Amino acid sequence: MRTITVVTTAGRPDDISMLLAQKACDELGVGFEPRKKRSVVKISEALNANVIVAGKNRYEYYPKGANVPFFFHPNSAAFRLKRIDRGEHDPLLEACQLFEGDSFLDCTLGIGSDAMVAAFVVGKTGAVVGLETDPNVAFIVKNGMGTYDTSELPLTSCMREIKVVNTEALEFLKEQPSDSFDVVYMDPMFEEVIEESNNFEALRAAGSHLSLSEQWVAEAYRVAKKRVVLKAHYKSRLFEDFGFKREVRLTSKFHYGVREKKL
């Protein structure tokens, strides 16, 4: 039996929840399921469905069998941007070597933290595009980036500048001209679990688990004008297998790898 996606409301829906539920149904092309005092788990089991819950303040996404929901939150981007604003270094920015006005393609958007940091650096004269394969995750993140209310600047403006595209990375790359993005970035799901990251666990359940391939790396290299950057677990062999120069970080559980574009 095929897993479908349905939209429901919080336990006690109001007019706003109903409008948000209708928006999700319309944008995703899926059906609405009345809550009827049932738990999300009950609805999911009865319909063999992924469930998106339209609440008063946010959408929550429960993939079939998930114990915790996936929802949009700026996550680590908030405190990373504060550090960057104070002049402190950020490993992603060091690996990407981004500058104001650059274009940045995030092939594996996920919750969008790295894309937000990139958007801060490239500014309004630059461009950030984030690709997300799973339509439900893309909807949650795109909506969250467009509506999340925070007084923390420049976080809000950074979120609003990111273009979220629901597509498979390799197919998108194939359609792009050569040298069309300054930096192409990819962060496939870690092969190893990072226990400390609760937000990552929700994304692990909700997101698509992508495997790096020779074709994907080759297309990324063609599309990149300056460099391709890979993020992976420190135990990963992806860096060596696909020709990335690993930037070792002794106190971190993930590393960055770089492939410079030969000019």
Side-chain angles (χ1 to χ4, degrees), residues 31-182:
F32 176 74
E33 181 67 22
R35 189 64 180 258
K36 296 179 179 177
K37 298 182 179 180
R38 293 173 294 175
S39 69
V40 173
V41 172
K42 289 289 185 183
I43 294 174
S44 178
E45 291 176 347
L47 301 176
N48 190 43
N50 306 311
V51 181
I52 292 176
V53 179
K56 295 179 181 180
N57 301 314
R58 69 186 187 194
Y59 291 104
E60 293 187 344
Y61 173 40
Y62 291 81
K64 179 72 168 61
N67 295 319
V68 293
F70 173 72
F71 57 90
F72 177 78
H73 188 277
N75 203 22
S76 63
F79 62 80
R80 286 172 68 188
L81 286 179
K82 288 179 180 178
R83 291 204 304 252
I84 294 166
D85 213 21
R86 292 196 299 264
E88 298 179 29
H89 81 280
D90 183 271
L92 171 72
L93 298 182
E94 290 183 350
C96 292
Q97 293 292 297
L98 284 172
F99 298 95
E100 185 174 355
D102 279 350
S103 54
F104 178 83
L105 176 62
D106 187 340
C107 292
T108 48
L109 181 64
I111 197 70
S113 297
D114 289 331
M116 284 182 255
V117 170
F120 172 69
V121 175
V122 304
K124 292 187 178 296
T125 58
V128 175
V129 176
L131 312 180
E132 174 52 53
T133 304
D134 187 287
N136 297 331
V137 173
F139 171 79
I140 297 290
V141 175
K142 182 178 182 179
N143 183 80
M145 285 184 171
T147 62
Y148 189 88
D149 186 19
T150 175
S151 59
E152 294 183 55
L153 294 173
L155 180 60
T156 302
S157 59
C158 292
M159 289 190 291
R160 306 293 193 256
E161 293 297 320
I162 298 167
K163 181 181 179 182
V164 179
V165 182
N166 171 215
T167 186
E168 200 275 324
L170 178 57
E171 295 308 310
F172 183 88
L173 287 165
K174 287 178 180 178
E175 296 172 355
Q176 307 310 305
S178 297
D179 302 331
S180 53
F181 285 87
D182 289 299

